[in-house]
Amino acid sequence: IGLIAVDEAHCISQWGYDFRPAYLLVGKLREVHPQVPVLALTASATPAVAADIMQRLAFRKPLLLQGSFLRPELTFWASRGEDKLGRLLRIAAKLPGSGIVYLRSRRGTVQTAHFLQQHGISAAAYHAGLTVEERDRVQQQWAAGTLRFVAATNAFGMGIDKADVRCVVHLEPPPDMESYYQ
């Protein structure tokens, strides 16, 4: 082994405890391979999360290379209207391609996916409470274009590489700015 690389490393700190518990074991590799360098990659670690990552991965000494959060290809837009679901329908009608709707609760994902379905938009809920098989099925259908929208908690989104994603809607405010960016 020449390098231990951890992609989406923020999961070690933010979600590893219950969503990806295996991430917490990556630091144990250092005991087996103490001379192998470790690289942790993430696009959205706060300073506290970065420090936690370096501690959990047993970095010999802290080393942080950080780029800008500036992403000129992205547009952020906030709506102050009370009719969030109506706004979501208008967005879906105006934008081609697929989208993700983020909510903070599992129940909210199910309700929002059902709402979209009732309005003729193919959608499914995705959250950590689903079985692995169900999560895989939803993600595969969305990636293949069978589902246009996924209503999800932050359990969805890691490693997405889908060319036709045209909107990411937060119907409820995420806990911090880094969650918007992620």
Side-chain angles (χ1 to χ4, degrees):
I1 297 177
L3 174 68
I4 298 170
V6 180
D7 195 14
E8 303 292 353
H10 59 276
C11 294
I12 291 169
S13 181
Q14 290 180 300
W15 305 328
Y17 307 113
D18 52 6
F19 182 61
R20 304 273 181 176
Y23 271 52
L24 297 175
L25 301 175
V26 175
K28 300 281 186 194
L29 289 173
R30 301 287 290 164
E31 296 171 12
V32 180
H33 303 284
Q35 299 306 315
V36 176
V38 175
L39 175 65
L41 304 164
T42 179
S44 61
T46 64
V49 169
D52 192 36
I53 290 168
M54 289 185 276
Q55 177 189 357
R56 293 192 181 281
L57 292 180
F59 276 38
R60 290 184 201 110
K61 60 181 181 178
L63 175 60
L64 178 64
L65 301 175
Q66 188 171 8
S68 171
F69 275 91
L70 180 63
R71 298 279 299 272
E73 74 278 12
L74 298 180
T75 301
F76 289 90
W77 177 68
S79 174
R80 296 181 184 199
E82 292 296 320
D83 183 16
K84 293 179 184 182
L85 294 175
R87 174 73 69 189
L88 177 60
L89 289 177
R90 289 190 297 278
I91 290 169
K94 288 184 180 185
L95 292 177
S98 61
I100 305 169
V101 182
Y102 281 114
L103 298 109
R104 293 184 75 168
S105 73
R106 294 174 183 184
R107 180 185 300 177
T109 67
V110 173
Q111 291 171 339
T112 302
H114 184 68
F115 174 82
L116 289 170
Q117 292 165 5
Q118 287 178 318
H119 288 85
I121 299 167
S122 62
Y126 185 105
H127 55 74
L130 300 174
T131 65
V132 172
E133 295 80 19
E134 183 70 6
R135 287 195 310 261
D136 286 346
R137 182 189 64 75
V138 170
Q139 187 159 355
Q140 288 172 7
Q141 287 180 341
W142 184 76
T146 307
L147 287 174
R148 185 161 172 231
F149 278 83
V150 173
T153 62
N154 62 5
F156 184 79
M158 293 187 306
I160 287 176
D161 185 11
K162 189 169 184 329
D164 77 334
V165 176
R166 293 296 174 260
C167 66
V168 176
V169 176
H170 290 270
L171 280 186
E172 300 166 333
D176 51 50
M177 287 304 292
E178 290 77 17
S179 295
Y180 272 115
Y181 184 81
Q182 181 60 31

